[in-house]
């Protein structure tokens, strides 16, 4: 049984903070989805099918070899693919309680990435590259690990029920 007394004001204050946190998470997720869509399929492509790389680590290794020659391009492509989907691994289990198991977050994340790669390929917005999928899955995995941290778990708990 909860005792109601002068602590009621602090409970209302806490509930206001929770409301602001929920709004922040939802708005930041919407901004992320818009940015993700723009960066992956909304950007202007050459409108030609560029081909596909189905050999794992081929593109990754070519960027690793280029680090000494053109470090910015090589590193930005490798790290960029990871950072692009890191928020997805964080937002999915926070916002969707049925995706709080690692395999479920990974499966939905994989489906989203695969969808994006196929759209890029079909509509000439880039090429289908298995290495993009590998790096994107690393990003989702890192995001999921961050979600497991206690402060993030508290934020996630306000989206339950």
């Amino acid at each position: 049984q909860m005792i109601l007394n002068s602590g009621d004001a602090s409970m209302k204050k806490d509930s206001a903070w929770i409301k602001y946190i929920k709004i922040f998470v939802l708005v930041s997720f919407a901004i992320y989805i818009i940015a993700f869509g723009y960066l992956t399929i909304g950007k202007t492509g050459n409108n030609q099918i560029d081909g596909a790389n189905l050999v794992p680590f081929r593109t990754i290794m070519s960027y690793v070899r280029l680090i000494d020659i053109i470090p910015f391009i090589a590193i930005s492509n490798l790290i960029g693919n990871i950072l692009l989907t890191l928020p997805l691994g964080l937002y999915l289990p926070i916002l969707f309680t049925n995706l709080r198991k690692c395999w479920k977050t990974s499966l939905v994340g994989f489906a989203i990435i695969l969808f994006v790669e196929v759209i890029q390929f079909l509509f000439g917005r880039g090429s289908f590259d298995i290495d993009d999928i590998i790096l994107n899955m690393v990003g989702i995995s890192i995001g999921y690990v961050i979600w497991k941290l206690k402060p993030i778990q508290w934020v996630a708990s306000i989206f339950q029920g």
Side-chain angles (χ1 to χ4, degrees), residues 93-138:
I94 286 175
L95 296 173
F96 305 98
T97 56
N98 58 335
L99 297 179
R100 293 198 170 162
K101 299 231 181 275
C102 183
W103 71 270
K104 290 182 178 182
T105 298
S106 297
L107 185 64
V108 170
F110 177 77
I112 292 168
I113 294 164
L114 185 61
F115 173 78
V116 166
E117 288 293 318
V118 168
I119 294 298
Q120 284 179 338
F121 177 75
L122 292 177
F123 293 98
R125 300 291 189 201
S127 62
F128 184 97
D129 193 335
I130 191 71
D131 288 344
D132 286 350
I133 294 172
I134 291 169
L135 292 169
N136 291 160
M137 288 304 296
V138 168

Side-chain angles (χ1 to χ4, degrees), residues 28 40 42 54 77 84 124 139 142:
S28 64
T40 56
L54 301 177
N77 275 287
L84 179 68
I142 293 169

Side-chain angles (χ1 to χ4, degrees), residues 147-161:
W147 172 73
K148 296 296 272 180
L149 300 174
K150 287 238 185 264
I152 306 300
Q153 289 288 305
W154 179 83
V155 171
S157 73
I158 68 175
F159 285 90
Q160 287 180 301

